[in-house]
């Protein structure tokens, strides 16, 4: 929006933010006073820098130039001849990764590695980039138009803390974590950050939650980012097995670059270093020439066989991560984790040597995402089928209490509705009836939950291949009472006979979720 954060200063009742902007060719600064500052300003976050929050992990894995361009000729050709989204291109003239954002309109982003200081970003003019595109494509599209050229560095890092400056500054998305672009982790993790933070901010700003609830954002999200950082790095290295198999090992290129920097850097001019570096790279790229990379060449035949093996066994770049995108579990935070010792995502217990099968296994354990099952309203006058996930409102901050139609569960749900009202929290009960209940007069919830009317009766629709109830599918007793947070994660799970005093126990649970009894840091 034409503004950049240029200064931050803590005050007695908030934070004073300086925002610089261009006003008719002159840079000016305006001051904004706020209670909280959210740093969602990307991988090179100025907010993070001003807050004095450092990053931890592996830096400068690769320097790249990103070229945003359009060519309907290229889009039309790829649509008809080689449709795809991601193209890794290795030939004797150039190496790059082409990302097709829109084949119909011919919109692309090209990623090209470069090696400063011998190769500088300034060397990549629009004309030079057009020449690189032609070399990579292998023919000359007539309508190449370069729209933008930017340098960037690939890192695998997580912010040492997500919350700083006395809980006044909060980092979100790429400002909090920087991943190699291998698997979509940056976007998915960033969206999940916002999903986790939004409801907590809402309750805080409405005076319902304690300011220390912001600390649960870090305790829940940072372990996930740490895990995803290592997984994206592992996936990036797997992707590099392809060029390495072709004789274009990136680690060798980086080693050559380091040798030139250390041995020639102080002896010969940069231009001459550039000639040496590019000459060596040109020799290296002959490994993918038709002469070497051929079934008629023993070396080329061996490399092609290895390449086929890598691809057939799925050992290269992976693009689908349902287990990691959906199956992460919060071990501590805005929840009552009676079984948190089993937590999947306590970073110190994770082993990253090999990725699991990648299959998402839904779980009804505390900290997990609410498991999906198709349900329908029990009332004969209501139609439609929806997911259990749709029980969580997308329009307001609301907690969902899931129970089976059992007398003890109704009593506990009543206590939860009462406490939620006292805390001024929006809540509703979902009564999960077994399949076939629609055919009977099931009006028990009206009398059992009176005087409250904020409930919904639904009937399970088990999958055709799995004739099990929602409770059985996710290995939880139907005597369980499950409290679901506004971000679709389970905050508490109990059974009526485990609750000694419904009122005081439920009040303690809500207090813990809202951080009302959490010490300030």
């Amino acid at each position: 929006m034409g503004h950049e954060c240029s200064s931050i200063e803590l005050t007695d009742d908030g934070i004073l933010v300086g925002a610089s902007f261009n006003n008719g060719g002159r840079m000016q600064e305006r001051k904004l006073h706020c209670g909280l500052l959210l740093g969602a300003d990307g991988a090179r976050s100025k907010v993070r820098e001003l807050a004095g929050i450092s990053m931890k992990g592996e830096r400068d894995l690769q320097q790249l130039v990103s070229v945003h361009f359009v060519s309907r000729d290229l889009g039309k050709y790829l649509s008809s001849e080689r449709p795809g989204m991601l193209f890794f291109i290795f030939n004797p003239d150039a190496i790059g990764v082409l990302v097709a954002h829109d084949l119909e309109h011919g919109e692309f982003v090209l990623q090209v590695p470069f090696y400063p200081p011998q190769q500088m970003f300034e060397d990549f003019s629009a004309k030079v980039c057009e020449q690189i595109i032609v070399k990579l494509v292998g023919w000359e599209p007539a309508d190449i138009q370069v729209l933008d050229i930017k340098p960037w560095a690939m890192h695998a890092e997580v912010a040492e803390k997500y919350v700083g400056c006395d809980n006044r500054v909060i980092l979100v998305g790429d400002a909090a974590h920087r991943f190699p672009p291998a698997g979509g982790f940056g976007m998915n993790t960033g969206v999940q950050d916002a999903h986790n933070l939004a409801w907590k901010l809402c309750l805080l700003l409405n005076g319902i939650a304690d300011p220390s609830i912001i600390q649960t954002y870090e305790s829940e999200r940072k372990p996930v980012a740490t895990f995803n950082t290592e997984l994206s790095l592992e996936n990036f290295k797997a992707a590099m097995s392809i060029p390495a198999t072709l004789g274009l090992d990136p680690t060798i290129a980086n080693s050559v670059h380091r040798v030139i920097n250390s041995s020639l850097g102080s002896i010969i001019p940069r231009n001459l270093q550039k000639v040496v570096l590019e000459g060596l790279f040109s020799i290296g790229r002959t490994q993918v020439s038709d002469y070497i990379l051929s079934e008629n060449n023993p070396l080329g035949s061996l490399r092609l066989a290895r390449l086929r093996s890598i691809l057939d066994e799925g050992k290269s770049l992976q693009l689908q991560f349902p287990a990691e995108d959906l199956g992460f579990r919060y071990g501590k935070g805005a929840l009552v984790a009676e079984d948190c010792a089993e937590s999947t995502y306590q970073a110190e217990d994770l082993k990253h040597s090999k990725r699991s099968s990648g299959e998402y296994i839904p779980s009804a354990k505390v900290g997990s995402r609410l498991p999906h099952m198709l349900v329908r309203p029990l009332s004969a006058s209501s139609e439609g089928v929806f997911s259990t996930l749709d029980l969580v409102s997308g329009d307001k901050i609301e907690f969902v209490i899931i129970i089976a139609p059992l007398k003890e569960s109704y009593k506990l749900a009543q206590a939860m509705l009462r406490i939620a009202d006292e805390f001024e929290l929006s809540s509703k009960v979902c009564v999960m009836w077994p399949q076939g209940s629609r055919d009977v007069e099931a009006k028990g919830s009206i009398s059992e939950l009176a005087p409250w009317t904020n409930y919904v009766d639904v009937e399970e629709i088990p999958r055709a291949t799995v004739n099990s109830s929602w409770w059985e599918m996710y290995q939880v007793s139907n005597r369980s009472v499950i409290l679901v947070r506004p971000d679709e994660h389970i905050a508490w799970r109990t059974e009526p006979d485990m609750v000694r005093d419904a009122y005081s126990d439920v009040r303690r649970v809500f207090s813990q979720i809202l951080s009302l009894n959490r010490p300030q840091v």
Side-chain angles (χ1 to χ4, degrees):
M1 300 179 198
H3 288 66
E4 180 182 5
C5 184
S6 51
S7 65
I8 58 175
E9 178 186 346
L10 283 176
T11 65
D12 291 339
D13 57 349
I15 189 164
L16 190 64
V17 181
S20 61
F21 64 99
N22 191 320
N23 184 14
R26 290 182 57 196
M27 293 303 295
Q28 292 185 318
E29 185 180 66
R30 58 185 296 205
K31 296 289 187 179
L32 306 167
H33 192 270
C34 57
L36 296 167
L37 174 62
L38 270 61
D41 51 340
R44 289 179 281 192
S45 171
K46 190 69 175 178
V47 172
R48 184 184 66 228
E49 177 188 329
L50 292 169
I53 299 175
S54 57
M55 301 292 283
K56 188 175 181 180
E58 295 191 36
R59 290 184 56 82
D60 298 322
L61 297 168
Q62 180 70 62
Q63 299 285 332
L64 298 109
V65 171
S66 179
V67 184
H68 182 197
F69 73 95
V70 290
S71 170
R72 286 184 177 269
D73 278 2
L74 181 57
K76 185 177 179 181
Y77 166 76
L78 291 174
S79 293
S80 61
E81 302 295 330
R82 307 189 69 171
M85 183 274 287
L86 196 57
F87 300 85
F88 289 81
I89 307 171
F90 309 101
N91 67 44
D93 295 319
I95 291 173
V97 179
L98 184 65
V99 186
H101 284 260
D102 187 340
L103 285 178
E104 182 181 352
H105 296 96
E107 184 176 6
F108 300 90
V109 173
L110 174 65
Q111 306 291 355
V112 181
F114 80 110
Y115 296 84
Q118 291 78 22
Q119 297 173 327
M120 299 297 287
F121 169 65
E122 293 74 18
D123 299 337
F124 291 85
S125 64
K127 185 175 181 180
V128 167
C129 290
E130 287 180 18
Q131 292 170 350
I132 294 172
I133 293 166
V134 170
K135 288 178 180 178
L136 287 167
V137 172
W139 53 278
E140 186 169 356
D143 61 347
I144 297 174
Q145 181 185 358
V146 175
L147 303 177
D148 194 20
I149 309 167
K150 281 190 170 71
W152 65 282
M154 187 187 298
H155 308 291
E157 297 179 305
V158 177
E160 287 195 321
K161 54 185 179 180
Y162 280 24
V163 181
C165 301
D166 293 339
N167 279 359
R168 296 292 186 182
V169 174
I170 306 167
L171 301 181
V172 187
D174 285 356
H177 39 72
R178 307 194 286 201
F179 306 139
F185 292 107
M187 175 65 80
N188 282 296
T189 310
V191 169
Q192 292 157 4
D193 289 344
H195 201 201
N196 181 285
L197 180 61
W199 69 275
K200 296 174 182 178
L201 282 177
C202 181
L203 296 182
L204 171 60
L205 296 176
N206 285 319
I208 297 172
D210 187 85
S212 60
I213 196 172
I214 298 302
Q215 294 162 14
T216 70
Y217 164 65
E218 177 175 319
S219 64
E220 291 179 353
R221 294 303 305 160
K222 187 179 175 185
V224 176
T226 300
F227 179 86
N228 287 350
T229 301
E230 298 199 25
L231 187 57
S232 66
L233 184 58
E234 183 181 299
N235 197 34
F236 169 70
K237 290 177 178 178
M240 292 302 99
S241 66
I242 296 293
T245 300
L246 296 173
L248 300 172
D249 193 335
T251 60
I252 294 177
N254 290 332
S255 297
V256 169
H257 183 226
R258 282 194 296 270
V259 168
I260 291 176
N261 282 338
S262 61
S263 60
L264 301 179
S266 59
I267 302 173
I268 62 175
R270 184 185 74 86
N271 286 344
L272 189 54
Q273 294 179 45
K274 180 181 178 182
V275 170
V276 172
L277 181 72
E278 293 184 349
L280 291 171
F281 284 173
S282 179
I283 293 171
R285 289 195 301 269
T286 61
Q287 299 299 311
V288 290
S289 65
D290 291 341
Y291 173 72
I292 294 179
L293 199 62
S294 164
E295 295 288 3
N296 297 323
N297 184 309
L299 177 60
S301 178
L302 179 62
R303 287 176 175 173
L304 289 171
R306 287 177 180 167
L307 181 62
R308 282 189 289 269
S309 175
I310 290 172
L311 296 174
D312 290 344
E313 295 174 19
K315 292 182 178 179
S316 182
L317 179 70
Q318 301 296 309
L319 296 178
Q320 299 293 330
F321 289 86
E324 292 76 13
D325 290 336
L326 300 173
F328 60 88
R329 181 179 171 213
Y330 299 136
K332 57 181 179 179
L335 42 80
V336 181
E338 73 281 356
D339 54 356
C340 67
E342 302 172 24
S343 176
T344 306
Y345 276 87
Q346 292 210 3
E348 63 271 20
D349 297 330
L350 291 171
K351 303 297 181 184
H352 301 286
S353 56
K354 285 189 178 179
R355 188 190 169 207
S356 64
S357 65
E359 180 185 358
Y360 166 50
I361 301 175
S363 168
K365 292 180 179 178
V366 172
S368 300
R369 189 170 186 260
L370 176 65
H372 155 79
M373 176 184 261
L374 289 177
V375 295
R376 61 188 169 199
L378 194 61
S379 170
S381 61
S382 301
E383 296 295 333
V385 172
F386 54 91
S387 168
T388 48
L389 289 164
D390 295 321
L391 295 168
V392 181
S393 174
D395 302 320
K396 59 183 178 180
I397 304 301
E398 182 178 68
F399 286 80
V400 176
I401 303 156
I402 299 178
I403 63 171
L406 302 174
K407 194 167 190 66
E408 299 85 353
S409 299
Y410 278 121
K411 283 186 178 180
L412 186 52
Q414 270 204 342
M416 296 172 79
L417 289 172
R418 178 184 171 190
I419 298 298
D421 283 355
E422 290 182 10
F423 280 111
E424 299 182 348
L425 287 171
S426 179
S427 64
K428 72 178 176 189
V429 174
C430 168
V431 186
M432 192 89 71
W433 293 77
Q435 186 180 25
S437 299
R438 203 173 192 186
D439 300 329
V440 300
E441 290 271 334
K443 297 182 179 179
S445 298
I446 297 175
S447 59
E448 294 289 352
L449 292 175
W452 284 276
T453 59
N454 45 328
Y455 67 87
V456 57
D457 288 300
V458 298
E459 177 191 14
E460 300 171 343
I461 306 177
R463 297 176 187 173
T465 55
V466 183
N467 191 24
S468 301
S469 71
W470 185 85
W471 309 93
E472 291 169 338
M473 281 177 65
Y474 303 118
Q475 299 177 11
V476 57
S477 166
N478 70 344
R479 291 178 52 78
S480 297
V481 174
I482 295 174
L483 179 63
V484 183
R485 307 188 321 191
D487 65 348
E488 301 173 358
H489 281 259
I490 296 172
W492 185 46
R493 190 185 78 195
T494 191
E495 294 184 16
D497 55 8
M498 296 173 65
V499 177
R500 288 175 294 180
D501 182 325
Y503 181 83
S504 60
D505 285 1
V506 171
R507 189 175 184 85
R508 174 185 58 81
V509 166
F510 275 106
S511 294
Q512 185 167 334
I513 292 168
L514 299 175
S515 297
L516 297 178
N517 54 2
R518 190 183 307 276
Q520 288 281 357
V521 175

